[in-house]
Amino acid sequence: MCGITGWIDWQKDLTQYPSVLEQMTYTLLNRGPDASGTWITPHCALGHRRLSVMDPANGAQPMVRHYGENVFTIVYNGELYNAPELKKELELRGHVFHTTCDTEVLLVSYIEWGRSCVDRLNGIYAFGVWNSQDQSLFLVRDRLGVKPLFYSYTDGRLLFGSEPKSILAHPDFPAQISGEGLAEIFAVGPARTPGHGIYSNMSELKPGHWLNMDRNGLSIRPYWKLESKPHEDDIDTTAQRIHELLQDTVQRQMASDVPICTLLSGGLDSSALSAFAANYNKENDLGQLHTFSIDYVDNAKYFKSNAFQPNSDAPWIKRMTEFLGSEHHYLEFDTPELVESLKTAVFARDLPGMADVDGSLYLFCREIKKAATVAISGEAADEIFGGYPWFHKEETLKANTFPWSLATKDRVNLLSPDFLDWVKPEQYVQERYRQALSEVPRLSGENHDQNRMREMSYLNITRFMPTLLDRKDRMSMAVGLEVRVPFCDHRLVEYVWNIPWEMKSAGDREKGILRRALRGVLPEDVLTRKKSPYPKTHNPSYLEAVRTWVLDILNDPNSPLLTFIDVDKIRALAEGDADQFNLPWFGQLMTGPQLFAYLAQADTWLRHYKVSIR
């Protein structure tokens, strides 16, 4: 993976501002520690940071290709998993290739098919192509939004980048935020509304969309979306098709010129991917698969089973490593480094995020990077197959809000009265919820319950899943680790989207159809293990550390956070036992300690980025 950035401006000669482009590019150093490149013409400036995965010697970017009188230049972040097939087709059409990297395949695909090339791509990507002849920039983001892409368009000037920090590095772009952006932070966050860049005048190119800019202005179009249609396969055919798609996807994503490993929790999703990967290595004489897991000091001592985390991972990891014959790496972290990582996670996201769930993933990826450059991870299976508890509980199915944010009222009750009057956070969340429901592609003939499960699937795929994909991208790329997510293959998502809920939950189990599809791939006890999410620390020292941090913030009259919170209520909570938030206020993992950590991250973000309020 890599980092990309750029600047299009019809009013200035950009060749006079090379240092600005260099600084925008430099901010993405961690995404691409192996090489850097810039390309400047009077009205287009492109920058790239490279993490070498395929053809390290010849894949430098920005990559330039001459075609007749025209010149095409690309910056690209991602991986094309069908590059070999595309390359063969393009060679039959007369194109000659000079590298073995997918960047050249992607660029030549655009030269050959123009904007419609996106319909042929299988992969995760964000890229931009500059066409010198018609002076236009074509920007694209992958269908599910695995790879990030932000932009700002003002008065004919376009800035874009893999992360907000590259746009913030431009001297004419101030770090400002409006009431709407603050509502995203304090009411919706750590999720984000699709397309919302949080900072004023910054947007996110939505998944499955392309953007084109020329002298006539800016146009944005979707090229992919979920489509609802009847599912005609029986349950056995459906399970077989899922098995085939997942196996093919993992095999495609095992392609790499550098070491590749898997993240293994002993749960259904990571175990399945690890099993397919281990089989691939065996069939291709690639040696023993390396697997990695995460835990925390004294977690076994303090762990308590609950509805969201029914059991610990350790015994199941041991079970799977013995089954796979993998070389396993147990990684464990303690409270001090976990607390310190909260700040690092803010700098990686350019926003407050999922607290220690972010920070621990950063630490995890940092250690993995010492042994591998590419990892495979199980994100998205729960959103696509309906694995979360909120898919299966009547109270969440009937809740008239996002099912992962049922405590919004309690949460916003901790904000200051003046701030509440200004941004009206509960109303804002309701508007965003109604907006999401209005987008759901309905299927004629479905009854109320079937329609509701389709809504739940859509909410999870388009609103909750992006939060986890953002987390995985930023925390992994902050240390130059590429993480691939096979469950986000668009062919699999398209197929599973239309499987009726009764079949998805076959056997009256969460992800029942996936379990059926994996028969013969995993041991029976792993196949039937009850879902347990990404592990978090249960050590009381973590609660004490973030509680103390928040009290220090409350005692600092210069804290920018104080404007937005009800200081007395937060103080009472911090000085109490935090029992008020024993149930998650976001997702499955963010309870009382994570609330304090999120507030600490918000304070860090406001201070470090010198955010001004519009």
Side-chain angles (χ1 to χ4, degrees), residues 288-328:
Q288 193 175 23
L289 178 70
H290 286 248
T291 53
F292 290 79
S293 65
I294 183 172
D295 208 344
Y296 308 91
V297 171
D298 287 337
N299 235 25
K301 177 180 178 181
Y302 295 108
F303 176 82
K304 292 182 180 180
S305 176
N306 59 50
F308 294 103
Q309 289 190 296
N311 47 52
S312 63
D313 288 337
W316 297 97
I317 293 169
K318 185 174 185 294
R319 174 77 172 99
M320 275 305 301
T321 57
E322 291 174 349
F323 174 77
L324 297 171
S326 65
E327 182 171 337
H328 191 70

Short mmCIF file of all heavy atoms in Angstrom, two decimals, residues 288-328:
data_model
loop_
_atom_site.label_atom_id
_atom_site.label_comp_id
_atom_site.label_asym_id
_atom_site.label_seq_id
_atom_site.Cartn_x
_atom_site.Cartn_y
_atom_site.Cartn_z
N GLN A 288 5.82 -22.43 6.01
CA GLN A 288 4.90 -22.35 7.12
C GLN A 288 4.23 -20.97 7.19
O GLN A 288 4.90 -19.95 7.05
CB GLN A 288 5.68 -22.63 8.41
CG GLN A 288 4.86 -22.90 9.64
CD GLN A 288 5.75 -23.28 10.83
OE1 GLN A 288 6.95 -22.95 10.85
NE2 GLN A 288 5.19 -23.99 11.79
N LEU A 289 2.94 -20.95 7.41
CA LEU A 289 2.22 -19.70 7.58
C LEU A 289 2.54 -19.10 8.95
O LEU A 289 2.56 -19.81 9.95
CB LEU A 289 0.71 -19.92 7.48
CG LEU A 289 -0.18 -18.69 7.68
CD1 LEU A 289 -0.04 -17.72 6.50
CD2 LEU A 289 -1.64 -19.10 7.87
N HIS A 290 2.79 -17.79 8.98
CA HIS A 290 2.98 -17.08 10.24
C HIS A 290 1.65 -16.44 10.64
O HIS A 290 0.99 -15.77 9.83
CB HIS A 290 4.06 -16.01 10.10
CG HIS A 290 5.44 -16.57 10.05
ND1 HIS A 290 6.36 -16.39 11.05
CD2 HIS A 290 6.06 -17.36 9.12
CE1 HIS A 290 7.48 -17.01 10.74
NE2 HIS A 290 7.33 -17.61 9.56
N THR A 291 1.25 -16.65 11.89
CA THR A 291 0.01 -16.07 12.41
C THR A 291 0.33 -15.23 13.65
O THR A 291 1.30 -15.50 14.37
CB THR A 291 -1.00 -17.17 12.77
OG1 THR A 291 -0.39 -18.12 13.64
CG2 THR A 291 -1.49 -17.88 11.51
N PHE A 292 -0.51 -14.22 13.89
CA PHE A 292 -0.28 -13.28 14.99
C PHE A 292 -1.57 -13.06 15.78
O PHE A 292 -2.65 -12.98 15.20
CB PHE A 292 0.21 -11.93 14.46
CG PHE A 292 1.59 -11.94 13.88
CD1 PHE A 292 1.81 -12.43 12.59
CD2 PHE A 292 2.67 -11.48 14.62
CE1 PHE A 292 3.09 -12.45 12.05
CE2 PHE A 292 3.95 -11.49 14.07
CZ PHE A 292 4.16 -11.97 12.79
N SER A 293 -1.43 -12.94 17.10
CA SER A 293 -2.58 -12.63 17.94
C SER A 293 -2.20 -11.56 18.98
O SER A 293 -1.02 -11.36 19.26
CB SER A 293 -3.11 -13.87 18.65
OG SER A 293 -2.13 -14.37 19.56
N ILE A 294 -3.22 -10.92 19.54
CA ILE A 294 -3.00 -9.84 20.50
C ILE A 294 -3.70 -10.15 21.81
O ILE A 294 -4.78 -10.75 21.83
CB ILE A 294 -3.52 -8.50 19.94
CG1 ILE A 294 -3.22 -7.34 20.91
CG2 ILE A 294 -5.01 -8.55 19.62
CD1 ILE A 294 -3.53 -5.97 20.34
N ASP A 295 -3.05 -9.75 22.92
CA ASP A 295 -3.67 -9.84 24.24
C ASP A 295 -3.03 -8.77 25.13
O ASP A 295 -2.14 -8.03 24.68
CB ASP A 295 -3.52 -11.23 24.84
CG ASP A 295 -4.65 -11.57 25.82
OD1 ASP A 295 -5.36 -10.64 26.24
OD2 ASP A 295 -4.81 -12.75 26.16
N TYR A 296 -3.47 -8.73 26.38
CA TYR A 296 -3.05 -7.66 27.28
C TYR A 296 -2.60 -8.25 28.61
O TYR A 296 -3.09 -9.30 29.04
CB TYR A 296 -4.20 -6.67 27.51
CG TYR A 296 -4.79 -6.17 26.21
CD1 TYR A 296 -5.84 -6.84 25.62
CD2 TYR A 296 -4.24 -5.07 25.56
CE1 TYR A 296 -6.36 -6.42 24.40
CE2 TYR A 296 -4.76 -4.64 24.35
CZ TYR A 296 -5.81 -5.32 23.77
OH TYR A 296 -6.31 -4.91 22.57
N VAL A 297 -1.68 -7.58 29.26
CA VAL A 297 -1.14 -8.04 30.54
C VAL A 297 -2.28 -8.17 31.55
O VAL A 297 -3.10 -7.26 31.71
CB VAL A 297 -0.08 -7.05 31.06
CG1 VAL A 297 0.33 -7.40 32.49
CG2 VAL A 297 1.14 -7.05 30.13
N ASP A 298 -2.35 -9.33 32.19
CA ASP A 298 -3.34 -9.63 33.24
C ASP A 298 -4.77 -9.72 32.73
O ASP A 298 -5.72 -9.68 33.52
CB ASP A 298 -3.27 -8.61 34.38
CG ASP A 298 -2.03 -8.80 35.25
OD1 ASP A 298 -1.48 -9.92 35.25
OD2 ASP A 298 -1.61 -7.83 35.92
N ASN A 299 -4.96 -9.85 31.42
CA ASN A 299 -6.33 -9.95 30.91
C ASN A 299 -7.03 -11.22 31.40
O ASN A 299 -8.22 -11.22 31.70
CB ASN A 299 -6.36 -9.89 29.39
CG ASN A 299 -7.27 -8.79 28.89
OD1 ASN A 299 -7.51 -7.81 29.59
ND2 ASN A 299 -7.77 -8.92 27.68
N ALA A 300 -6.28 -12.31 31.46
CA ALA A 300 -6.87 -13.56 31.94
C ALA A 300 -7.34 -13.41 33.39
O ALA A 300 -8.35 -13.99 33.79
CB ALA A 300 -5.86 -14.70 31.82
N LYS A 301 -6.63 -12.61 34.15
CA LYS A 301 -6.95 -12.41 35.56
C LYS A 301 -8.24 -11.62 35.73
O LYS A 301 -9.05 -11.90 36.63
CB LYS A 301 -5.80 -11.68 36.24
CG LYS A 301 -6.03 -11.34 37.70
CD LYS A 301 -4.81 -10.63 38.27
CE LYS A 301 -5.02 -10.24 39.74
NZ LYS A 301 -3.84 -9.52 40.28
N TYR A 302 -8.46 -10.61 34.85
CA TYR A 302 -9.58 -9.70 35.04
C TYR A 302 -10.74 -9.92 34.07
O TYR A 302 -11.78 -9.28 34.20
CB TYR A 302 -9.10 -8.25 34.90
CG TYR A 302 -8.13 -7.84 35.99
CD1 TYR A 302 -6.77 -7.67 35.72
CD2 TYR A 302 -8.57 -7.64 37.29
CE1 TYR A 302 -5.88 -7.31 36.71
CE2 TYR A 302 -7.69 -7.26 38.29
CZ TYR A 302 -6.34 -7.09 37.99
OH TYR A 302 -5.47 -6.73 38.98
N PHE A 303 -10.58 -10.82 33.12
CA PHE A 303 -11.63 -11.02 32.13
C PHE A 303 -12.92 -11.53 32.78
O PHE A 303 -12.89 -12.44 33.62
CB PHE A 303 -11.18 -12.01 31.05
CG PHE A 303 -12.26 -12.35 30.05
CD1 PHE A 303 -12.51 -11.51 28.97
CD2 PHE A 303 -13.05 -13.49 30.19
CE1 PHE A 303 -13.50 -11.80 28.04
CE2 PHE A 303 -14.04 -13.80 29.27
CZ PHE A 303 -14.26 -12.94 28.20
N LYS A 304 -14.04 -10.93 32.39
CA LYS A 304 -15.36 -11.39 32.84
C LYS A 304 -16.24 -11.55 31.62
O LYS A 304 -16.39 -10.62 30.82
CB LYS A 304 -15.98 -10.39 33.82
CG LYS A 304 -15.26 -10.29 35.16
CD LYS A 304 -15.95 -9.31 36.09
CE LYS A 304 -15.22 -9.23 37.43
NZ LYS A 304 -15.89 -8.26 38.35
N SER A 305 -16.83 -12.71 31.49
CA SER A 305 -17.69 -12.97 30.34
C SER A 305 -18.92 -12.09 30.37
O SER A 305 -19.48 -11.80 31.43
CB SER A 305 -18.11 -14.45 30.36
OG SER A 305 -19.02 -14.73 29.32
N ASN A 306 -19.33 -11.61 29.18
CA ASN A 306 -20.58 -10.86 29.05
C ASN A 306 -21.18 -11.15 27.69
O ASN A 306 -20.64 -11.91 26.90
CB ASN A 306 -20.36 -9.36 29.27
CG ASN A 306 -19.37 -8.76 28.29
OD1 ASN A 306 -19.48 -8.95 27.07
ND2 ASN A 306 -18.37 -8.03 28.81
N ALA A 307 -22.32 -10.51 27.43
CA ALA A 307 -23.04 -10.80 26.18
C ALA A 307 -22.23 -10.44 24.95
O ALA A 307 -22.39 -11.04 23.89
CB ALA A 307 -24.37 -10.05 26.17
N PHE A 308 -21.35 -9.44 25.08
CA PHE A 308 -20.57 -8.99 23.93
C PHE A 308 -19.25 -9.75 23.79
O PHE A 308 -18.74 -9.90 22.70
CB PHE A 308 -20.31 -7.48 24.03
CG PHE A 308 -21.55 -6.65 23.92
CD1 PHE A 308 -22.13 -6.08 25.05
CD2 PHE A 308 -22.15 -6.44 22.69
CE1 PHE A 308 -23.28 -5.32 24.94
CE2 PHE A 308 -23.30 -5.68 22.57
CZ PHE A 308 -23.87 -5.12 23.71
N GLN A 309 -18.69 -10.20 24.92
CA GLN A 309 -17.45 -10.97 24.90
C GLN A 309 -17.65 -12.23 25.74
O GLN A 309 -17.32 -12.27 26.92
CB GLN A 309 -16.28 -10.13 25.42
CG GLN A 309 -15.87 -9.04 24.44
CD GLN A 309 -14.56 -8.37 24.83
OE1 GLN A 309 -14.48 -7.73 25.87
NE2 GLN A 309 -13.56 -8.52 23.99
N PRO A 310 -18.21 -13.28 25.13
CA PRO A 310 -18.58 -14.48 25.89
C PRO A 310 -17.40 -15.32 26.35
O PRO A 310 -17.52 -16.08 27.31
CB PRO A 310 -19.46 -15.26 24.91
CG PRO A 310 -19.00 -14.81 23.56
CD PRO A 310 -18.64 -13.37 23.72
N ASN A 311 -16.26 -15.24 25.68
CA ASN A 311 -15.11 -16.04 26.09
C ASN A 311 -13.83 -15.37 25.60
O ASN A 311 -13.85 -14.52 24.73
CB ASN A 311 -15.22 -17.47 25.57
CG ASN A 311 -15.59 -17.52 24.09
OD1 ASN A 311 -14.96 -16.89 23.26
ND2 ASN A 311 -16.64 -18.26 23.76
N SER A 312 -12.72 -15.77 26.19
CA SER A 312 -11.43 -15.22 25.79
C SER A 312 -10.88 -16.00 24.60
O SER A 312 -11.28 -17.14 24.33
CB SER A 312 -10.44 -15.26 26.95
OG SER A 312 -10.19 -16.59 27.34
N ASP A 313 -9.94 -15.39 23.90
CA ASP A 313 -9.43 -15.97 22.66
C ASP A 313 -8.35 -17.03 22.85
O ASP A 313 -8.18 -17.91 22.01
CB ASP A 313 -8.87 -14.86 21.76
CG ASP A 313 -9.95 -13.98 21.16
OD1 ASP A 313 -11.10 -14.46 21.06
OD2 ASP A 313 -9.66 -12.84 20.78
N ALA A 314 -7.58 -16.92 23.95
CA ALA A 314 -6.34 -17.70 24.07
C ALA A 314 -6.50 -19.20 23.79
O ALA A 314 -5.72 -19.77 23.00
CB ALA A 314 -5.73 -17.47 25.45
N PRO A 315 -7.46 -19.90 24.39
CA PRO A 315 -7.56 -21.34 24.11
C PRO A 315 -7.88 -21.64 22.65
O PRO A 315 -7.44 -22.67 22.10
CB PRO A 315 -8.71 -21.79 25.02
CG PRO A 315 -8.85 -20.72 26.06
CD PRO A 315 -8.46 -19.46 25.37
N TRP A 316 -8.63 -20.75 22.02
CA TRP A 316 -9.03 -20.98 20.63
C TRP A 316 -7.88 -20.69 19.67
O TRP A 316 -7.77 -21.34 18.61
CB TRP A 316 -10.24 -20.11 20.31
CG TRP A 316 -11.42 -20.49 21.14
CD1 TRP A 316 -11.84 -19.88 22.31
CD2 TRP A 316 -12.30 -21.59 20.93
NE1 TRP A 316 -12.93 -20.54 22.81
CE2 TRP A 316 -13.24 -21.58 21.98
CE3 TRP A 316 -12.39 -22.57 19.94
CZ2 TRP A 316 -14.26 -22.52 22.08
CZ3 TRP A 316 -13.40 -23.51 20.02
CH2 TRP A 316 -14.33 -23.49 21.09
N ILE A 317 -7.05 -19.75 20.03
CA ILE A 317 -5.86 -19.49 19.21
C ILE A 317 -4.95 -20.72 19.22
O ILE A 317 -4.44 -21.15 18.18
CB ILE A 317 -5.11 -18.24 19.73
CG1 ILE A 317 -5.96 -16.98 19.51
CG2 ILE A 317 -3.75 -18.10 19.05
CD1 ILE A 317 -5.43 -15.76 20.22
N LYS A 318 -4.75 -21.28 20.41
CA LYS A 318 -3.93 -22.49 20.54
C LYS A 318 -4.52 -23.63 19.70
O LYS A 318 -3.80 -24.36 19.01
CB LYS A 318 -3.83 -22.90 22.00
CG LYS A 318 -2.90 -24.09 22.27
CD LYS A 318 -2.75 -24.32 23.77
CE LYS A 318 -1.74 -25.43 24.06
NZ LYS A 318 -2.20 -26.74 23.58
N ARG A 319 -5.83 -23.76 19.77
CA ARG A 319 -6.52 -24.80 19.00
C ARG A 319 -6.24 -24.65 17.51
O ARG A 319 -5.95 -25.63 16.80
CB ARG A 319 -8.03 -24.72 19.27
CG ARG A 319 -8.88 -25.67 18.42
CD ARG A 319 -8.80 -27.07 18.95
NE ARG A 319 -9.74 -27.95 18.29
CZ ARG A 319 -9.46 -28.78 17.29
NH1 ARG A 319 -8.23 -28.83 16.81
NH2 ARG A 319 -10.39 -29.57 16.77
N MET A 320 -6.34 -23.40 17.01
CA MET A 320 -6.17 -23.17 15.58
C MET A 320 -4.72 -23.27 15.13
O MET A 320 -4.44 -23.79 14.05
CB MET A 320 -6.73 -21.80 15.19
CG MET A 320 -8.23 -21.81 14.91
SD MET A 320 -8.73 -23.02 13.65
CE MET A 320 -7.78 -22.49 12.24
N THR A 321 -3.79 -22.81 15.93
CA THR A 321 -2.38 -22.89 15.51
C THR A 321 -1.94 -24.34 15.42
O THR A 321 -1.15 -24.71 14.55
CB THR A 321 -1.47 -22.10 16.48
OG1 THR A 321 -1.64 -22.59 17.82
CG2 THR A 321 -1.80 -20.62 16.45
N GLU A 322 -2.45 -25.19 16.32
CA GLU A 322 -2.13 -26.61 16.24
C GLU A 322 -2.77 -27.23 15.00
O GLU A 322 -2.17 -28.07 14.32
CB GLU A 322 -2.62 -27.32 17.51
CG GLU A 322 -1.83 -26.94 18.75
CD GLU A 322 -2.41 -27.54 20.02
OE1 GLU A 322 -3.54 -28.09 19.96
OE2 GLU A 322 -1.75 -27.45 21.07
N PHE A 323 -3.99 -26.80 14.68
CA PHE A 323 -4.68 -27.32 13.50
C PHE A 323 -3.98 -26.89 12.22
O PHE A 323 -3.82 -27.68 11.28
CB PHE A 323 -6.13 -26.81 13.51
CG PHE A 323 -6.91 -27.16 12.29
CD1 PHE A 323 -7.41 -28.44 12.10
CD2 PHE A 323 -7.16 -26.21 11.30
CE1 PHE A 323 -8.14 -28.77 10.96
CE2 PHE A 323 -7.89 -26.52 10.16
CZ PHE A 323 -8.38 -27.81 9.98
N LEU A 324 -3.54 -25.62 12.17
CA LEU A 324 -2.91 -25.08 10.97
C LEU A 324 -1.45 -25.50 10.83
O LEU A 324 -0.91 -25.52 9.72
CB LEU A 324 -2.97 -23.55 10.99
CG LEU A 324 -4.35 -22.89 10.97
CD1 LEU A 324 -4.21 -21.38 11.23
CD2 LEU A 324 -5.04 -23.13 9.63
N GLY A 325 -0.82 -25.75 11.97
CA GLY A 325 0.62 -25.96 11.94
C GLY A 325 1.37 -24.67 11.65
O GLY A 325 2.46 -24.68 11.06
N SER A 326 0.79 -23.56 12.06
CA SER A 326 1.40 -22.25 11.78
C SER A 326 2.46 -21.91 12.82
O SER A 326 2.48 -22.46 13.93
CB SER A 326 0.34 -21.15 11.77
OG SER A 326 -0.23 -20.99 13.05
N GLU A 327 3.34 -21.02 12.45
CA GLU A 327 4.29 -20.46 13.41
C GLU A 327 3.61 -19.23 14.01
O GLU A 327 3.46 -18.20 13.35
CB GLU A 327 5.60 -20.07 12.74
CG GLU A 327 6.62 -19.53 13.74
CD GLU A 327 8.00 -19.35 13.16
OE1 GLU A 327 8.32 -20.02 12.16
OE2 GLU A 327 8.76 -18.52 13.70
N HIS A 328 3.21 -19.37 15.27
CA HIS A 328 2.37 -18.33 15.86
C HIS A 328 3.19 -17.38 16.73
O HIS A 328 4.14 -17.78 17.41
CB HIS A 328 1.25 -18.93 16.69
CG HIS A 328 0.23 -17.91 17.10
ND1 HIS A 328 -0.64 -17.33 16.19
CD2 HIS A 328 -0.02 -17.32 18.29
CE1 HIS A 328 -1.40 -16.46 16.81
NE2 HIS A 328 -1.04 -16.42 18.09
#
